[in-house]
Amino acid sequence: MESSAMSRLTNLQRHLQPADSKLLESDDVSGLMKISPDVAEALSTGKPVVALESTVISHGMPYPQNLETAKQLEAIVRVNGAIPATIAILDGVPCIGLSTEDLQKLANLGVRAQKTARRDIAHVVATRGNGATTVSATMFFASKVGIPIFVTGGIGGVHRHGENTLDISSDLTELGRTPVAVVSAGVKSILDIPRTLEYLETQGVCVATYATNEFPAFFTEKSGYRVPCRVDTPEDCARLIDANHKLRLGSGILFAVPIPKEHSASGGFIEDAIQRAIGEARAKNVTGNAETPFLLSRVNELTGGASLASNIALLKNNAQVGAKIAAALAQLRGHQNSG
Ligand SMILES: O=c1[nH]cc([C@@H]2O[C@H](COP(=O)(O)O)[C@@H](O)[C@H]2O)c(=O)[nH]1
């Protein structure tokens, strides 16, 4: 191409894409949120930050294990070199980074907090409600303030019979439209795993297994399904996130980290309870966003708490992996900026 034509093209690109544009979308919306001082400081100085969701606190676990786990996850993130930013809407204000009192409030509210997915955000804010954010809503807020990594236990997916009911978690469409990397233990077998993977493919989401070949099924290390991408280290993950951002693909990444071996032993037993709970949900006609919390608490009852212990173990493992990825990403970007 002629050099004058090339320079016109470069100018046009600059115009369409401001030179200082951040790798992640970060716009005026952040003014509507309350960002805790340590998260704000970390974001402005390029330190690693990891977002954490709050539905797992309110709807995913009983009190007081939910509070204990929320605090432990934050501590694990810190020990591994990153600043935790648990996200929730409190009295109508989206909060990025919660105090211990905030965590206590959410844990006490339990299911009285509104389970808040993307579609619910405006309503919870407008009515000054208390919203526990799911994966979709947490990704939305993380992306708005420029947090590239988010740790959870399991994401939502295509529910069984989703091909008829269209009950497909908005977590999947969020992953298709928001450039945040989500660390999870895969998806629970209460969902339709192959259809969930198909749907993620349709949404253009890069799904990568972490140090394993098979996509994990939350309580068990294996689901019987594979995905095309495998990563083995936090540095691999950081490079993948960096490429995704630089290319401005606009979509998220799902890192699927298997439950640690020592906690996967009870997987088969928990699996049986899941099948029973699914039958009960059908019989009681529990559907929509009530289905996941129902199944989680029923499976916990049926397994005498074994599923809760496994859930907590994999959350802690994911927090550790997520923090290491965040640290590796900060280091990679630090080198790039100084190089
Ligand atoms: O093992 C779990 N899966 C999913 C959830 C929560 O449920 C949400 C998905 O709900 P739904 O299927 O209604 O989209 C997830 O984003 C997450 O917040 C959870 O707590 N534990």
Side-chain angles (χ1 to χ4, degrees), residues 65-279:
Q65 289 94 336
N66 57 355
L67 178 60
E68 277 317 303
T69 306
K71 290 200 270 194
Q72 286 168 353
L73 294 181
E74 292 207 348
I76 290 168
V77 169
R78 282 186 202 280
V79 167
N80 287 281
I83 300 294
T86 304
I87 294 179
I89 303 175
L90 296 174
D91 300 318
V93 180
C95 297
I96 318 299
L98 302 186
S99 65
T100 309
E101 293 73 42
D102 294 335
L103 289 176
Q104 176 86 54
K105 177 174 170 168
L106 260 183
N108 278 330
L109 278 171
V111 295
R112 285 175 293 137
Q114 184 170 343
K115 180 176 166 186
T116 306
R118 170 186 266 269
R119 64 137 194 222
D120 309 299
I121 294 172
H123 179 244
V124 175
V125 169
T127 55
R128 305 213 171 114
N130 292 308
T133 50
T134 65
V135 169
S136 67
T138 308
M139 284 183 76
F140 170 81
F141 287 122
S143 143
K144 291 295 171 197
V145 299
I147 302 175
I149 297 159
F150 158 40
V151 163
T152 185
I155 63 162
V158 178
H159 281 262
R160 295 191 188 195
H161 309 292
E163 69 277 24
N164 297 319
T165 62
L166 282 185
D167 191 349
I168 299 169
S169 174
S170 61
D171 294 353
L172 304 187
T173 38
E174 197 64 38
L175 275 159
R177 71 199 284 183
T178 301
V180 169
V182 179
V183 177
S184 96
V187 295
K188 284 210 176 73
S189 63
I190 56 177
L191 300 166
D192 184 328
I193 294 178
R195 283 196 174 88
T196 298
L197 293 174
E198 284 294 342
Y199 198 83
L200 286 167
E201 182 189 341
T202 303
Q203 290 291 318
V205 177
C206 173
V207 179
T209 50
Y210 188 84
T212 183
N213 288 327
E214 234 176 79
F215 188 75
F218 199 87
F219 291 120
T220 48
E221 296 168 88
K222 294 185 174 177
S223 66
Y225 298 93
R226 285 176 171 240
V227 293
C229 177
R230 169 181 169 146
V231 283
D232 284 282
T233 62
E235 289 70 29
D236 285 350
C237 299
R239 280 190 288 273
L240 192 56
I241 295 170
D242 193 51
N244 189 59
H245 288 170
K246 283 202 177 123
L247 291 163
R248 296 178 196 281
L249 278 160
S251 42
I253 297 173
L254 180 64
F255 289 119
V257 181
I259 184 172
K261 277 212 165 25
E262 60 275 27
H263 295 280
S264 63
S266 42
F269 161 59
I270 296 173
E271 205 43 54
D272 293 342
I274 287 176
Q275 300 312 321
R276 204 170 133 191
I278 289 174

Side-chain angles (χ1 to χ4, degrees), residues 273 280 294-307:
E280 290 179 12
F294 172 86
L295 292 174
L296 293 184
S297 77
R298 193 65 190 116
V299 171
N300 191 41
E301 279 168 21
L302 290 170
T303 60
S307 67

